[in-house]
């Protein structure tokens, strides 16, 4: 019987011809060639953490879980680099970098996604001048649509660093990394109006906020680097900080609260708005220190569907106000707070933050609740504010939108014609946003 695949949220499913787990580069080439000969499509698959249908196919999944680990480190001591295999999870990458005294510049908090998947969709954290994982790519090696092993030419790198898996199966990436350091992360309730001012977003290198539609208080989180002296003082506090995170209602931008909201939602939906307002009021300040990937880490308390859009940063306040009002006015209770983040302009031709300082706005709805009306309302507002959706999130985006919103799309198409002329990697969901 054909294997059935389901993504993390449970919202995407497909019946595959096969899942193949090659053990080396020539095995990946063989899978692509064989599928092409049989007229089957091929989709590389990572941890399945995308909410969109990017990996949905009735063809072949290439699972790179045998391609794990950091294979080399080097570069200038002031600009270190590592080579990492694409099936490595971000959690494994953080740990391997830490043993070398290194870290990612991108403040990525989730351990499960793979390097290949995170690059393909442009996975990002939040900081006014922080890029995504894709921004760190210095070189890429992949197997293209004809089964050829290729080192991506420098001229094609901005197509390949965020490619939606349309150019080939990435095997290995060389990434720019930074010396490891410690940070102090602070979680604090702040008035929503303060969070919507631009100075809130420039005060810390890593900063984000989460807002329930019916609340006047936002749950915020930021991280600042620790000096050596402060670092010594903080030793021992980290544990206390992390313990207090367990009981604070703010949790990881409201993570503890989120679980509660969902429980309330299932039991008594009409209590949710009141509960959400109370959560925001009761939240208190907590802090913890340690390596960035550890103090930011916040495994999700519940499974949910998500739409996240990249907007011009200057439009964040207007878009967020309109979105929060629309959700409240339409009585569309989201169950989870709307998440606000920021990022630097990206060079990747298809990165949603391409060429503009960006604000990210994410609307999340617990699975098993009726997410359709909430997501559709969010799409309407965020599209009208010049948003481009995160490729991994749910949206109604079309190829016409891509053509209009991405000035380098024609260049991407030229590279795609070279790497996958026969469209071995193109499924209907991919064609819907990238064209045939
Ligand atoms: C709980 C949760 C939290 C999240 N938080 C964030 C967040 O903070 N920031 C953010 O930006 N996103 C976030 N996301 C979305 C997430 O970043 C992406 O879904 C994730 O990076 C994809 O990685 P994956 O390994 O799961 O890839 P998959 O979802 O399996 O695949 C995603 C895409 O990558 C392609 N791909 C996978 N491997 C390769 C490869 N080797 N070569 C070429 N293409 C490949 C696939 O074909 C597909 O197009 C979150 C998702 C969840 C479920």
């Amino acid at each position: 019987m054909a294997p059935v695949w389901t993504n993390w949220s449970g919202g995407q499913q497909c019946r595959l011809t096969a899942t193949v787990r090659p053990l080396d580069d020539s095995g990946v080439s063989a899978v692509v060639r064989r599928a092409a000969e049989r007229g089957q499509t091929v989709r590389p698959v990572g941890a399945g953490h995308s909410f969109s249908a990017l990996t949905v196919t009735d063809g072949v999944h290439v699972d790179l879980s045998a391609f794990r680990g950091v294979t080399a480190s080097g570069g200038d001591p002031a600009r270190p680099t590592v080579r990492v295999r694409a099936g490595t999870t971000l959690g494994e990458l953080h740990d391997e970098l830490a043993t070398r005294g290194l870290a990612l510049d991108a403040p990525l908090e989730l351990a499960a996604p793979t390097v290949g998947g995170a690059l393909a969709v442009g996975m990002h954290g939040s900081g006014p001048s922080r890029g995504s994982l894709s921004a760190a790519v210095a070189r890429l090696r992949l197997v293209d649509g004809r089964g050829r092993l290729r080192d991506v030419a420098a001229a094609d790198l901005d197509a390949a660093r965020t490619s939606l898996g349309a150019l080939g199966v990435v095997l290995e990436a060389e990434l720019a990394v930074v010396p490891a350091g410690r940070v102090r992360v602070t979680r604090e309730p702040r008035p929503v109006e303060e969070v919507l001012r631009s100075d809130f977003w420039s005060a810390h290198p890593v900063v984000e906020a989460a807002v329930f539609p019916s609340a006047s208080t936002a749950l915020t989180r930021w991280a600042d680097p620790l000096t050596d002296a402060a670092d010594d003082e903080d030793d021992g506090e980290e544990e206390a900080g992390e313990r207090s995170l367990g009981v604070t209602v703010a949790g990881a931008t409201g993570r503890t609260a989120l679980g509660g909201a969902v429980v309330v939602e299932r039991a008594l939906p009409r209590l949710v708005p009141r509960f959400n307002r109370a959560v925001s009021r009761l939240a208190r300040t907590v802090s913890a220190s340690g390596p960035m990937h550890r103090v930011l880490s916040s495994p999700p308390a519940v499974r949910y569907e998500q739409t996240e859009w990249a907007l011009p940063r200057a439009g964040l306040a207007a878009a967020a106000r309109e979105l929060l009002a629309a959700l409240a006015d339409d009585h569309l209770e989201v169950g989870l707070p709307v998440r606000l983040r920021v990022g630097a302009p990206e060079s990747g031709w298809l990165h949603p933050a391409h060429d503009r300082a960006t604000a990210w706005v994410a609307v999340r709805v617990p699975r098993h609740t009726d997410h359709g009306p909430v997501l559709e309302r969010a799409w309407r507002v965020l599209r009208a504010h010049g948003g481009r959706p995160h490729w991994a999130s749910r949206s109604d985006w079309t190829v016409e939108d891509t053509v209009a919103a991405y000035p380098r799309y024609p260049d991407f198409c030229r590279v795609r014609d070279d790497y996958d002329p026969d469209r071995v990697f193109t499924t209907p969901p991919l064609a819907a946003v990238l064209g045939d």
Side-chain angles (χ1 to χ4, degrees):
M1 193 146 104
V4 173
W5 174 88
T6 306
N7 72 338
W8 177 86
S9 70
Q12 306 288 350
Q13 285 199 347
C14 56
R15 199 169 281 280
L16 301 159
T17 302
T19 301
V20 189
R21 186 174 176 271
L23 298 178
D24 54 24
D25 298 0
S26 58
V28 177
S29 295
V31 173
V32 173
R33 284 209 181 95
R34 207 177 315 125
E37 280 161 18
R38 294 175 181 169
Q40 296 161 343
T41 48
V42 174
R43 291 304 290 153
V45 64
H49 270 50
S50 297
F51 303 93
S52 61
L54 284 176
T55 42
V56 167
T57 179
D58 57 5
V60 176
H61 266 179
V62 184
D63 166 355
L64 284 196
S65 55
F67 288 66
R68 298 279 249 285
V70 170
T71 56
S73 55
D76 184 317
R79 300 162 63 110
T81 57
V82 294
R83 289 186 76 88
V84 58
R85 303 182 90 201
T88 311
T89 66
L90 295 181
E92 291 165 348
L93 177 57
H94 289 311
D95 290 345
E96 286 211 36
L97 290 177
T99 63
R100 292 168 159 84
L102 298 168
L104 294 177
D105 187 49
L108 303 180
E109 62 185 49
L110 193 67
T114 61
V115 168
L119 290 178
V121 301
M123 187 174 180
H124 66 93
S126 187
S129 52
R130 296 291 169 122
S132 70
L133 189 66
S134 304
V137 170
R139 289 170 209 262
L140 280 177
R141 171 169 285 191
L142 54 72
V143 167
D144 74 7
R146 295 260 164 100
R148 297 169 296 200
L149 186 62
R150 293 174 74 165
D151 288 311
V152 174
D156 299 337
L157 207 53
D158 281 333
R161 63 176 78 245
T162 307
S163 72
L164 287 70
L167 303 182
V169 183
V170 172
L171 304 178
E172 193 169 71
E174 185 176 305
L175 301 177
V177 289
V178 296
R182 286 163 62 87
V183 299
R184 172 171 292 279
V185 66
T186 303
R187 303 161 210 269
E188 191 167 270
R190 289 280 181 88
V192 171
E193 282 309 312
E194 191 181 317
V195 158
L196 296 183
R197 287 205 313 258
S198 61
D199 56 347
F200 172 80
W201 296 99
S202 52
H204 306 279
V206 172
V207 56
E208 66 171 274
V211 190
F212 284 109
S214 32
S216 56
T217 304
L219 309 167
T220 72
R221 173 170 80 159
W222 64 83
D224 291 314
L226 284 170
T227 61
D228 286 349
D231 208 355
D232 290 342
E233 281 167 29
D234 280 332
D235 275 338
E237 260 183 51
E238 180 183 335
E239 215 187 313
E242 286 183 348
R243 247 198 326 266
S244 68
L245 292 186
V247 295
T248 180
V249 82
T253 44
R255 182 157 63 91
T256 313
L258 310 188
V262 174
V263 171
V264 173
E265 171 129 357
R266 283 198 185 137
L268 277 172
R270 67 178 190 286
L271 288 185
V272 168
R274 222 180 306 160
F275 180 83
N276 288 348
R277 278 193 296 272
V279 160
S280 303
R281 261 202 322 274
L282 290 171
R284 63 184 179 81
T285 305
V286 287
S287 70
S289 57
M292 179 124 69
H293 68 276
R294 283 198 42 221
V295 289
L296 290 186
S297 164
S298 59
V302 294
R303 298 208 179 209
Y304 53 83
E305 293 294 345
Q306 170 169 298
T307 191
E308 180 172 46
W309 292 61
L311 314 176
R313 182 141 2 125
L316 171 62
R321 273 198 193 94
E322 189 179 330
L323 176 67
L324 294 167
L327 295 172
D329 291 351
D330 290 0
H331 305 290
L332 292 168
E333 268 305 327
V334 289
L336 304 175
V338 173
R339 195 173 187 193
L340 308 177
R341 297 191 281 178
V342 291
E346 298 273 338
S347 68
W349 293 339
L350 288 192
H351 197 287
H354 176 73
D355 211 21
R356 65 189 194 193
T358 288
W360 296 93
V361 179
V363 174
R364 300 167 289 175
V365 189
R367 72 169 175 175
H368 304 314
T369 58
D370 184 14
H371 57 263
V374 178
L375 298 188
E376 280 163 30
R377 196 72 185 89
W379 299 340
R380 250 191 291 155
V381 173
L382 298 174
R383 177 192 286 277
H385 283 268
R388 302 169 178 146
H390 191 310
W391 296 113
S393 79
R394 306 279 288 240
S395 81
D396 58 349
W397 199 247
T398 66
V399 63
E400 288 76 24
D401 295 317
T402 304
V403 171
Y406 288 90
R408 303 302 296 271
Y409 173 72
D411 299 304
F412 183 86
C413 292
R414 179 179 43 74
V415 175
R416 188 180 180 202
D417 288 344
D418 175 17
Y419 282 70
D420 187 21
D422 311 315
R423 301 293 191 258
V424 172
F425 301 113
T426 300
T427 50
L430 200 70
V433 293
L434 283 191
D436 294 318

